[in-house]
């Protein structure tokens, strides 16, 4: 029965399979306001300097630095006040030696000015301004291109539009972007014991858990997912379903039932449909061993374990990274940070072990029961504690790597 | 000019203002598949036990534990094989003394069986099964309600449907939920120097950065946001805009221009519109001081700083938590973890200081220029390094608290 002769190490899966995946999706143009959360399909270069004019970074007086050299409280320097520069004004004024303009934060410097004296170091009268502290050339000024130089690469192809990147693009007047279209994913469940919402659940059967958890995981990715139903324990049913999905979708996902046959049907169906066929027959992780990755032509079929916690963990660790690469994203690995364990965690040294964890604040995580048929601990967890290959566990109080579900 | 006599400590804002906000939104029923990312408007109690029948957690043989007590390789115990139980079957079979049924993972136990011997500890022949290792009562069995007891509270009102909660609900047959409707937020920008995409940018003006960054931040919340335009530096314009938005929206947000007047107009307009008026005149943080929180009746108006980095930080630290509470979410604080600094960070001890940080992997964060008019560092950052009040900074290599933009 056991055919897992060649379990794949997770790092090998990342390096040899996922890392080298090319985007499987088209490109489309979208307006900036609709680009949030989307993946860039082009490198973006700054079309202009930012700022594109010399700006004061304080309220004060625009000067030539050499005019106020050595100015002090006891030895002030007097400048002729030529006027005031307001914010948003296009200034063609020229500042000559011995002169100053009053200026506000963000306003444009007069030509010839090279620094700004802060308001608190100047005493303003109607015609003259008394400067009581000198400034260096360039002080309190943001010059053209100081933040971003025209022509510089500001966002790379394959990065996600989020956080401050949206405002950055707006600042440079980029209101239309080329992004990747959403990946089309078909989801199947399997197992004759699995009952769908539309069906009556008789005693001894269980309702579909994995499909809804997959919805949760895929919701935040750039994906158009569609649930295509439960596959009966019948090889022909598997083959026909995969065959039709490979035509319509970019990726096919099937969660296994508890029975071994679901896994066997998935493997056999994939190998029946074309080359290279099954490329991962099992993963060297706990839980999550009975996972299958197949490829027919250049399309992937991902067979997930039936056990809900294993299914979720494998989806999070491998299916999502695969989806990200297929969707055009550069960074595909789950993010992590170090955190202290509230309790000791035991692991098999022969496998990379993942344990559900609940964050308790104060940088402590509590391990939850993981390698079990329970579903409640998964629903209470915030992410995974990773125990590396070759380690038998971690002590209470030790630091461990934690991968939050959402980051 | 300076009116910030009463800067609010961030912890005070959380405790005295945000923590006590009640949901401002209606409730609606949605099907489970549309509930992902939404906020529960009801406590959910388990309508049944999970599992609702005794299940084997392994492939093997269902037995009475006392029948195989003391069984060993050298002293095996023989049981009469009565048949096999398949997955999904509703079993009415009774197991009598000295008998066994073959059983698969997830299948229902025969009545009278109380444990399962794993396949590897049994030798199967056509009529008898030789057991070579005893089991304890309950071993390899998940009994009714072992995971979830009927009637127990499984999800609290105010929690978000994500991760494994979706599958949990499906497992219990809960396919419709009461969730909160999305919060309606009106967004304004201000500042006569700010140019919108529809306008021609002349030299000396700057394009709207804050509105697009707000779109990015609000995208992941349960919010229907609408940009309502730029407010001219004119008190009447501010009053009229807020007045009409208070009728339609649940929350009004305005980002300031660089000019001081935007802040003054926002304050005066809020106080003009009703009680209690402005309740926060400035925040004891750096950057982000010039922030305003006002309340008219029971609706909030949030005035954000004009400086893009300050605007983003204040939105992340205070506006999002406020939105979460108004939307019905229980947990509203940004999440954080401890991380080592690649470079030293300096701070004013008199303020809580936030510094942009870029994650470098290996649990190290690199501080980026923050208290400046630059916009590029914000676009490159992954979150905020927090330097607490009373601290003058942190050394290179020290642990600091890090708040990722996305978690």
């Amino acid at each position: 029965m056991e055919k897992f002769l060649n379990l794949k190490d997770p790092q090998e899966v990342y390096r040899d399979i996922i890392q080298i995946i090319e985007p499987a999706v088209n490109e489309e143009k979208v307006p900036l306001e609709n680009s949030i959360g989307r993946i860039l399909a082009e490198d973006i270069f700054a079309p202009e300097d930012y700022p594109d004019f010399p700006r004061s970074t304080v309220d004060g007086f625009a000067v030539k630095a050499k005019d106020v050299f050595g100015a002090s409280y006891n030895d002030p320097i007097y400048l002729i006040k030529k006027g005031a520069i307001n914010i948003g004004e296009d200034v063609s004024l020229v500042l000559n030696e011995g002169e100053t303009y009053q200026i506000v934060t963000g306003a444009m410097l007069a030509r010839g000015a090279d620094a700004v004296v802060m308001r608190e170091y100047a005493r303003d009268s109607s015609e003259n301004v008394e400067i009581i502290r000198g400034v260096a050339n360039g002080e309190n000024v943001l010059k053209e291109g100081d933040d971003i130089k025209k022509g510089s690469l500001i966002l790379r192809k394959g990065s996600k539009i989020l956080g401050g990147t949206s405002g950055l693009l707006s600042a440079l007047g980029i209101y239309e972007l080329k992004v990747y279209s959403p990946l089309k994913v078909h989801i199947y469940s399997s197992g004759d014991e699995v009952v769908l919402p539309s069906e009556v659940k008789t005693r001894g059967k269980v309702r579909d858990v994995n499909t809804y958890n997959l919805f949760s995981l895929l919701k935040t990715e750039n994906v158009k997912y569609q649930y295509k139903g439960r596959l009966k324990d019948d090889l022909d049913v598997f083959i026909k379903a995969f065959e039709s999905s490979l035509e319509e979708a970019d990726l096919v996902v099937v969660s296994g039932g508890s029975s071994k046959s679901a896994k066997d049907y998935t493997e056999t169906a994939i190998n029946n449909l074309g080359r290279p066929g099954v490329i991962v027959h099992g993963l060297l992780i706990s839980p999550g061993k009975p996972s299958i990755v197949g490829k027919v032509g250049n399309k992937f079929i991902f067979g997930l374990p039936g056990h809900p916690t294993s299914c979720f963990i494998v989806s999070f660790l491998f299916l999502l990274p695969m989806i990200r690469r297929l969707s055009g994203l550069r960074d595909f690995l789950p993010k992590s940070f170090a955190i202290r364990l509230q309790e000791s965690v035991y692991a098999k040294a022969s496998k990379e072990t993942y344990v559900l964890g609940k964050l308790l604040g104060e940088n402590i995580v509590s391990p939850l029961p993981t390698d079990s048929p329970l579903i409640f601990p998964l629903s209470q967890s915030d992410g995974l504690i990773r125990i590396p290959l070759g380690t038998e566990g971690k002590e209470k109080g030790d630091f461990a790597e934690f991968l939050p579900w959402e980051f």
Side-chain angles (χ1 to χ4, degrees), chain A:
Chain A
M1 285 290 277
E2 298 292 329
K3 296 192 284 183
F4 303 142
L5 301 172
N6 209 349
L7 296 181
K8 271 243 197 281
D9 176 84
Q11 300 313 316
E12 233 179 301
V13 176
Y14 287 138
R15 193 192 55 220
D16 298 345
I17 300 173
I18 297 178
Q19 173 94 59
I20 58 171
I21 291 174
E22 291 293 322
V25 286
N26 291 325
E27 299 168 3
E28 53 185 287
K29 288 230 168 198
V30 295
L32 179 56
E33 62 265 35
N34 298 343
S35 76
I36 295 156
R38 302 294 295 271
I39 300 161
L40 264 181
E42 58 179 345
D43 287 331
I44 306 265
F45 298 89
E48 59 189 44
D49 279 337
Y50 185 86
D52 62 350
F53 59 91
R55 270 160 70 173
S56 178
T57 62
V58 295
D59 292 345
F61 292 88
V63 299
K64 288 178 188 290
K66 68 176 174 53
D67 281 358
V68 296
F69 179 79
S72 70
Y73 186 81
N74 291 320
D75 197 6
I77 288 171
Y78 292 84
L79 298 173
I80 302 159
K81 185 171 159 190
K82 297 288 289 182
I85 304 174
N86 271 322
I87 193 154
E89 273 182 5
D90 184 3
V91 178
S92 56
L93 302 166
V94 177
L95 184 94
N96 296 307
E97 232 166 86
E99 294 178 348
T100 187
Y101 282 91
Q102 188 165 7
I103 192 166
V104 293
T105 305
M108 190 191 293
L109 255 65
R111 201 173 311 246
D114 56 28
V116 177
V117 174
M118 287 176 79
R119 198 177 50 192
E120 38 272 64
Y121 304 124
R123 295 201 203 99
D124 191 8
S125 68
S126 54
E127 285 181 14
N128 290 311
V129 180
E130 191 182 337
I131 304 293
I132 60 169
R133 190 190 274 195
V135 280
N137 189 317
E139 202 169 325
N140 300 324
V141 172
L142 197 66
K143 289 202 286 283
E144 292 100 320
D146 267 357
D147 195 0
I148 300 160
K149 288 259 175 299
K150 180 177 174 174
S152 64
L153 178 63
I154 53 164
L155 284 173
R156 292 181 77 172
K157 183 174 168 170
S159 56
K160 215 177 200 174
I161 306 295
L162 43 70
T165 54
S166 194
L168 174 77
L169 291 163
S170 166
L172 294 167
I174 301 166
Y175 294 116
E176 202 185 43
L177 303 167
K178 212 194 276 174
V179 299
Y180 288 111
S181 304
L183 192 77
K184 285 196 278 299
V185 181
H186 279 189
I187 301 172
Y188 292 94
S189 52
S190 70
D192 284 354
E193 82 282 15
V194 173
V195 168
L196 304 183
S198 56
E199 295 172 321
V200 175
K201 179 188 168 311
T202 55
R203 219 165 152 263
K205 295 201 186 277
V206 293
R207 297 191 186 86
D208 189 1
V209 173
N210 292 332
T211 299
Y212 286 91
N213 282 343
L214 279 169
F215 290 169
S216 273
L217 283 170
L218 298 192
K219 189 80 177 180
T220 53
E221 304 297 320
N222 290 278
V223 160
K224 268 194 187 144
Y225 58 81
Q226 212 183 333
Y227 176 61
K228 301 291 287 180
R230 185 193 58 221
L231 300 178
K232 280 184 130 175
D233 278 355
D234 177 325
L235 182 59
D236 261 4
V237 169
F238 275 67
I239 293 177
K240 287 223 174 70
F242 291 173
E243 203 168 26
S244 88
S245 280
L246 285 171
E247 274 177 32
E248 278 182 62
D250 303 308
L251 171 67
V252 183
V253 178
V254 54
S255 65
S258 298
S259 65
K260 298 256 179 253
S261 52
K263 186 174 176 301
D264 296 337
Y265 292 141
T266 302
E267 286 216 29
T268 312
I270 293 170
N271 284 331
N272 252 281
L273 282 164
R275 311 257 307 158
V278 171
I279 54 175
V280 177
H281 295 263
L283 292 167
L284 199 60
I285 66 169
S286 172
K289 187 178 84 165
S291 304
I292 300 160
V293 180
K295 215 174 163 185
V296 176
N298 55 8
K299 286 190 177 175
F300 285 95
I301 300 176
F302 205 125
L304 294 162
H307 181 310
T309 301
S310 306
C311 181
F312 196 87
I313 291 175
V314 170
S315 303
F316 175 76
L317 292 175
F318 302 101
L319 177 63
L320 290 190
M322 177 179 279
I323 284 174
R324 289 180 194 131
R325 288 295 301 175
L326 289 168
S327 303
L329 200 66
R330 287 173 62 87
D331 296 335
F332 60 86
L333 289 176
K335 297 215 175 85
S336 69
F337 53 87
I339 190 163
R340 280 184 197 282
L341 295 172
Q342 204 203 20
E343 303 293 341
S344 296
V345 171
Y346 303 93
K348 286 174 200 143
S350 59
K351 289 183 171 190
E352 195 163 295
T353 302
Y354 290 90
V355 177
L356 297 172
K358 185 161 183 57
L359 296 173
L360 300 178
E362 298 297 323
N363 227 36
I364 289 173
V365 67
S366 161
L368 302 177
T370 303
D371 197 5
S372 74
L374 308 178
I375 58 167
F376 194 61
L378 175 65
S379 76
Q380 302 297 299
S381 63
D382 296 307
L384 291 175
I385 301 160
R386 184 190 337 238
I387 310 294
L389 202 71
T391 310
E392 289 188 332
K394 294 258 185 187
E395 298 282 345
K396 172 178 175 171
D398 277 358
F399 270 104
E401 192 182 352
F402 185 73
L403 296 72
W405 302 135
E406 297 201 309
F407 196 107

